[in-house]
Amino acid sequence: MNVLVINAGSSSLKYQLMNPETGDVSAKGLCERIYIDGRLTHKVGDNKVVKDIPMPSHSEAIQAVLEILVDPEYGVIKSTDEIDAVGHRVLHGGMEFSESCIIDDEVIKAIEKCIPLGPLHNPANLMGIRACQAVMPKTPQVAVFDTAFHMTMPPKAYRYAIPTEYFENDDIRRYGFHGTSHKYIARRAAELYGSKEFKLVNCHLGNGSSLSAVKDGKCQDTSMGLSPLAGVPMGTRSGDIDACVVQFICNKYGMTVDECLNMLNKKSGVLALSETSSDFRDLEAGEAKGDENCVLALQKFFYEVAKYIGAYAAALNGIDMLTFTAGVGENGPDTRAAICEYLGFMGVKIDPEKNNVRGKEALISTPDSKVQVWVIPTNEELMIAQDTAELVSAAK
Ligand code: AMP
């Protein structure tokens, strides 16, 4: 089976053509500068081609992707009929979606209904869906939601302690994100643990970071909230912050709430503390040179991640496994070591040699550690492709 996985942003669109059974990716790429001019970067194995193609909308971007996939020189399939299904990443499923689903008119309406909750991403995701429907009307399309995995959280985790009307009238609650990644890791962790019954904290640490507390494969809590701004400090996001900070800054500097939120989303996090970069490689380079701001940014990040792990270990009454994934989680031995140093009180012990691993699945804890600690590379595209294949096969 060939599944085309689409991740549509406001001016970009990432794609992968993959086999959901083997995880083999036959081609992948990126459309950029949609609505501006348009550029397609297409990769097959180690071969890469970049083409400037006019993309006045997402439709032309999808068209360009389909054309290059069947191109005699750069393509990997003879006809677009060989694409069995399309899986779309959709940011916000609100209260409407607790799992992936085949897209029909009702689903599109429900995704539209979630636009107030995901105002930046859902419209772009919908454009990707509509563009695919226009150019490949007979191919089944599936929506996979970033929020869906977290819908098993109990009310004590997802309700905010604010008046009920905002929940009842406006669906304001914790949703959480990176759900596709957390689900992928929870499934793989269960295979590695050898049982579905176990307690896990997963740390998805990348440019955006979130943690989830998972019991027997079901999410119990997660660090992001109504939006991806909440939780630990990230590349450019502040993470959790007292709402009065927004009031203070808006009043003192004459900013609108939107401007202040833009600052908290795009100019904060480790970028703000380090005054250098949002990239952890740059922060580590700065730390090595003795840059105090980089040291503070890293320390703040380790500290807040460790606090969340401790909180989730308490919420789950102990954990069996701790997993690290995404750019920093997979490639940052120093980050993992610094976080785990806080966790000795709960019997976490990592082996420095085993921890010296990048981008590969590995058990990094010592045999006598009370908690198994693993590095597990995430694969959100594979999870999307698998969900898509499952739903489409079941519907046949
Ligand atoms: P992601 O959002 O999952 O793609 O993660 C991106 C982040 O991973 C980047 O901002 C880098 O800081 C971090 N990263 C990637 N490779 C490395 C590495 N080798 N060492 C430390 N951090 C890395």
Side-chain angles (χ1 to χ4, degrees):
M1 194 179 204
N2 279 321
V3 175
L4 180 62
V5 176
I6 299 283
N7 184 355
S10 52
S11 66
S12 71
L13 184 148
K14 288 189 211 140
Y15 63 94
Q16 285 197 11
L17 186 66
M18 62 155 52
N19 178 328
E21 286 105 40
T22 60
D24 290 343
V25 176
S26 42
K28 65 177 173 181
L30 169 70
C31 299
E32 290 169 285
R33 300 176 61 84
I34 305 173
Y35 297 101
I36 305 167
D37 38 25
R39 174 174 302 153
L40 172 75
T41 305
H42 179 74
K43 283 190 204 159
V44 178
D46 292 334
N47 295 328
K48 179 168 122 177
V49 54
V50 181
K51 288 185 164 206
D52 289 329
I53 300 173
M55 296 176 188
S57 77
H58 283 76
S59 279
E60 289 77 11
I62 291 282
Q63 192 67 52
V65 171
L66 296 182
E67 275 169 24
I68 199 126
L69 286 172
V70 299
D71 185 273
E73 197 177 348
Y74 307 112
V76 289
I77 48 176
K78 289 205 178 66
S79 144
T80 51
D81 292 345
E82 290 174 48
I83 300 172
D84 299 291
V86 183
H88 294 269
R89 179 180 187 186
V90 180
L91 181 87
H92 218 304
M95 304 265 280
E96 307 283 329
F97 298 102
S98 55
E99 48 197 33
S100 306
C101 58
I102 294 188
I103 297 172
D104 58 18
D105 290 349
E106 290 302 304
V107 168
I108 291 197
K109 271 193 210 135
I111 297 174
E112 277 171 349
K113 211 176 137 199
C114 299
I115 288 178
L117 298 169
L120 298 180
H121 294 83
N122 275 34
N125 302 149
L126 277 167
M127 281 190 266
I129 291 170
R130 290 202 173 103
C132 280
Q133 285 180 323
V135 293
M136 42 204 317
K138 291 199 191 109
T139 311
Q141 321 262 334
V142 168
V144 178
F145 300 91
D146 242 24
T147 48
F149 177 67
H150 305 301
M151 291 308 281
T152 49
M153 285 188 288
K156 66 184 175 187
Y158 73 66
R159 282 291 298 273
Y160 291 128
I162 61 174
T164 304
E165 64 198 77
Y166 300 113
F167 171 66
E168 287 185 346
N169 299 341
D170 305 303
D171 294 347
I172 292 185
R173 50 162 278 176
R174 180 187 303 283
Y175 288 96
F177 298 86
H178 294 138
T180 315
S181 173
H182 286 292
K183 180 174 167 184
Y184 179 84
I185 300 297
R187 275 201 192 171
R188 181 67 193 136
E191 287 167 7
L192 294 168
Y193 194 72
S195 162
K196 283 192 174 149
E197 285 173 21
F198 76 119
K199 293 183 279 186
L200 163 77
V201 170
N202 180 41
C203 309
H204 176 113
L205 309 179
N207 190 34
S209 294
S210 68
L211 288 88
S212 63
V214 182
K215 184 164 185 269
D216 304 340
K218 292 200 162 58
C219 181
Q220 303 299 317
D221 205 346
T222 192
S223 58
M224 284 177 166
L226 175 80
S227 86
L229 179 61
V232 296
M234 307 175 211
T236 64
R237 295 189 193 117
S238 62
D240 296 335
I241 192 154
D242 182 340
C244 287
V245 172
V246 175
Q247 181 195 35
F248 186 100
I249 290 177
C250 287
N251 286 344
K252 173 145 189 206
Y253 296 98
M255 274 190 200
T256 63
V257 171
D258 282 3
E259 283 167 347
C260 189
L261 265 288
N262 190 50
M263 178 272 286
L264 294 175
N265 270 302
K266 301 214 170 114
K267 296 181 186 164
S268 299
V270 293
L271 169 68
L273 286 179
S274 68
E275 297 183 348
T276 301
S277 171
S278 61
D279 191 304
F280 278 69
R281 287 165 289 201
D282 297 336
L283 302 183
E284 287 180 0
E287 181 190 37
K289 282 194 225 139
D291 181 322
E292 282 178 18
N293 294 334
C294 289
V295 171
L296 173 66
L298 286 170
Q299 284 184 350
K300 173 78 176 161
F301 181 75
F302 305 151
Y303 177 69
E304 297 295 341
V305 173
K307 271 167 61 180
Y308 261 99
I309 297 169
Y312 287 167
L316 296 175
N317 193 12
I319 58 171
D320 304 298
M321 203 191 269
L322 175 65
T323 47
F324 288 96
T325 195
V328 184
E330 292 167 29
N331 297 297
D334 294 346
T335 294
R336 295 190 297 257
I339 292 166
C340 288
E341 227 178 273
Y342 282 99
L343 308 174
F345 78 98
M346 46 192 255
V348 169
K349 270 196 221 169
I350 60 168
D351 177 327
E353 263 177 45
K354 290 183 186 164
N355 183 37
N356 193 13
V357 64
R358 287 182 172 80
K360 271 196 275 184
E361 187 173 283
L363 175 66
I364 61 168
S365 48
T366 60
D368 64 338
S369 175
K370 288 208 179 105
V371 176
Q372 286 187 22
V373 186
W374 287 82
V375 175
I376 306 181
T378 194
N379 194 339
E380 292 169 88
E381 289 78 14
L382 178 58
M383 193 74 253
I384 294 172
Q386 287 177 347
D387 267 12
T388 302
E390 246 172 62
L391 283 167
V392 169
S393 304
K396 270 187 185 158

